[in-house]
Amino acid sequence: MIVKIALLEDEEEERVLTESMLGRFFSAAGIDYEIVHFADAESFLSHGSAFTGFHLLLMDIILPGSGQNGIDLAREVRKANRDVAIMFITKTVQFAINGYEVDAVDYVVKPLVYEDFALKLKKAMRYILLHTEKFIVLNTKGGAVRIGESRIYYIEVMLHYLV
């Protein structure tokens, strides 16, 4: 599994630091990852898979441009995707309580400290693993079929064959 991360951060120095810490965490854990960076809400919303293509959404609360803050954007994301792990990384602590409204995994206050950030990333990974669909490949007369575990209601076996 490749963990797909959307990073919404408008400050270049903060983006580089966050990406560095993400790299350190995922390399140490032996997990493949991919980061897509967005400088503002508009670029994120115009991305083709903004609502469904990511496992982890790391975002600042104060976003430039549209006047939309990270909480507002997270509300939009939650309408389409209940499973993405959302983590706020911000300098503003006043919005922390609002993170509960959008079921955020965590709220990280800048400046980032690797040890604290790594603990929060571990929590986010547990959330991601719980909310990622697992698939089973079954060989049938018509060929191999890939079925999501959530679509299986029962399994029947007749003469050593699955029906």
Side-chain angles (χ1 to χ4, degrees):
M1 173 178 149
I2 297 174
V3 178
K4 295 182 180 168
I5 304 165
L7 174 59
L8 280 85
E9 176 59 66
D10 60 318
E11 295 179 27
E12 181 71 15
E13 189 176 315
E14 294 290 343
R15 179 191 64 80
V16 170
L17 176 64
T18 304
E19 287 181 355
S20 169
M21 288 188 183
L22 287 166
R24 182 176 168 188
F25 174 82
F26 285 109
S27 294
I31 299 171
D32 293 327
Y33 69 101
E34 179 182 298
I35 302 172
V36 180
H37 170 252
F38 302 96
D40 54 44
E42 291 83 15
S43 61
F44 174 73
L45 291 171
S46 65
H47 188 267
S49 57
F51 294 111
T52 58
F54 297 104
H55 298 104
L56 177 59
L57 177 54
L58 298 171
M59 75 168 80
D60 199 344
I61 296 286
I62 307 302
L63 299 171
S66 69
Q68 190 175 41
N69 67 36
I71 300 291
D72 296 331
L73 183 58
R75 284 186 188 114
E76 281 188 56
V77 169
R78 281 290 180 236
K79 288 177 188 173
N81 187 343
R82 296 292 314 156
D83 294 331
V84 66
I86 297 174
M87 185 184 301
F88 294 106
I89 302 176
T90 187
K91 293 177 185 173
T92 44
V93 293
Q94 68 206 41
F95 292 104
I97 197 77
N98 299 98
Y100 292 107
E101 294 175 23
V102 293
D103 198 22
V105 172
D106 223 315
Y107 195 97
V108 185
V109 179
K110 297 177 186 176
L112 294 180
V113 176
Y114 178 75
E115 291 73 20
D116 296 335
F117 189 48
L119 286 174
K120 293 172 187 290
L121 285 172
K122 283 181 186 177
K123 180 179 175 183
M125 285 305 301
R126 285 192 302 270
Y127 181 94
I128 290 166
L129 292 174
L130 284 172
H131 290 87
T132 301
E133 177 80 66
K134 292 170 183 64
F135 293 89
I136 297 173
V137 177
L138 300 173
N139 292 317
T140 68
K141 291 180 184 177
V145 176
R146 184 174 175 245
I147 300 173
E149 286 183 354
S150 65
R151 296 192 56 194
I152 297 173
Y153 297 102
Y154 69 93
I155 297 174
E156 183 178 347
V157 179
M158 293 178 68
L159 302 174
H160 304 286
Y161 291 96
L162 296 178
V163 179

